[in-house]
Amino acid sequence: MSRGAASLNQTQLPQPASRPAPAGSSVRAEGLPAMLLLAPFVLAFLLFFLGPALQTLYLSLTESSLTRTSAFVGLANYATLVQDPSFWASLGNTFYFALLTVIPLTGIGLVMALLVHRFVRAQSWLQGAFFLPYVLPISVVTLIADWMLQPSSGIINHLVGGQRAWLSDVHWALPVVAIGTVWWTVGFNMLMLLAGLRNIPAEQYEAAALDGARGFTLFRAITWPALKPVFGTALLLQLIASLKVFGQTYILTSGGPYNTSRVTLHYMYETAFTQSDAGYAAAVAMAFMFVVIALTLVARLVAKRSS
């Protein structure tokens, strides 16, 4: 047989079919980049959140100081916590502060966002002016607030015509801290809601204007329905932030007068670092964490049902 015929016969022979790659290998290959991207977050979560949380949980079940861990006492710290009037008073102050700040911060932030979105020519100036206080550190903010609230030389007493010691007043200490917090942090909510406003298509407003819709009708029919999810998110984030208040009250009032402005995190700090009772402070931290989680879940459920 000639060499050409032999090569022709070889090409006409059926070739063995190649094996398909296992389905699981392709899925693993596609998921590998995602796992690599998530790995830093997972590692940071385990090291800086889950690990300390578990350690705090164990510490809350012991009778410990800042320097040593003593005997395991089980739920004794939590039993004491339930009957501790100081803890409940600090929790009440925390809820009161949240009540004073959450709704005003989101409501005023919405008004600011509408103003920035409405006045196009002065948009950059208004946005910068509203957001500027948010970039200030808490030390600067509390220094400005303390200067403005001085009994004799403060600008607030100069405007109202009195010499009230606002930060030493039982009824006004926490509200004035809340007002300062609103001025300080409202820019964040304004920026979030402004981003939501900019995502609303302009064609919807043009079509509604052709039908004769104006002013509040446009807001009620187009702006608010489109902005409601963003508003709910801002409300939820602000609730969590307000419940975690510590720095403002600690610097401005030190929890006074008569502990009327001492919030839960301040009480936990004093228990751990002033009274050196780390076990009981850990129990306060764990109980407060569960309270924040429960309120967050309830707020999410209410927001989901309303939307």
Side-chain angles (χ1 to χ4, degrees), residues 50-220:
L50 187 60
L54 294 176
Q55 187 176 7
T56 303
L57 178 61
Y58 171 74
L59 193 65
S60 69
L61 303 175
T62 63
E63 185 179 351
S64 305
S65 64
L66 292 176
T67 56
R68 63 183 180 87
T69 301
S70 301
F72 183 82
V73 296
L75 299 177
N77 288 326
Y78 293 95
T80 305
L81 187 68
V82 173
Q83 302 175 357
D84 185 1
S86 297
F87 168 73
W88 293 109
S90 67
L91 193 63
N93 291 334
T94 304
F95 290 159
Y96 182 41
F97 180 85
L99 181 65
L100 292 172
T101 55
V102 173
I103 299 299
L105 275 167
T106 47
I108 297 174
L110 176 60
V111 173
M112 288 181 171
L114 291 171
L115 288 174
V116 173
H117 190 66
R118 174 68 177 84
F119 297 101
V120 179
R121 293 185 177 181
Q123 196 170 82
S124 58
W125 292 97
L126 288 174
Q127 184 174 337
F130 291 154
F131 189 74
L132 181 62
Y134 186 74
V135 304
L136 298 175
I138 188 172
S139 56
V140 175
V141 172
T142 53
L143 188 65
I144 294 173
D146 184 66
W147 169 72
M148 295 180 66
L149 295 168
Q150 286 295 317
S152 57
S153 58
I155 189 173
I156 301 299
N157 279 327
H158 178 73
L159 292 175
V160 300
Q163 291 189 347
R164 181 186 296 271
W166 299 95
L167 296 174
S168 301
D169 192 292
V170 174
H171 303 290
W172 281 101
L174 201 57
V176 295
V177 174
I179 293 172
T181 303
V182 170
W183 171 79
W184 176 33
T185 59
V186 70
F188 176 79
N189 293 328
M190 179 272 301
L191 206 61
M192 183 185 301
L193 294 167
L194 181 61
L197 285 172
R198 288 172 175 170
N199 285 329
I200 303 175
E203 293 80 6
Q204 296 184 11
Y205 292 104
E206 294 172 359
L210 291 176
D211 292 336
R214 295 289 186 276
F216 184 74
T217 304
L218 289 174
F219 176 81
R220 180 176 55 84

Side-chain angles (χ1 to χ4, degrees), residues 21-36:
S25 62
S26 61
V27 173
R28 288 195 295 269
E30 293 177 358
L32 185 60
M35 294 174 62
L36 292 176

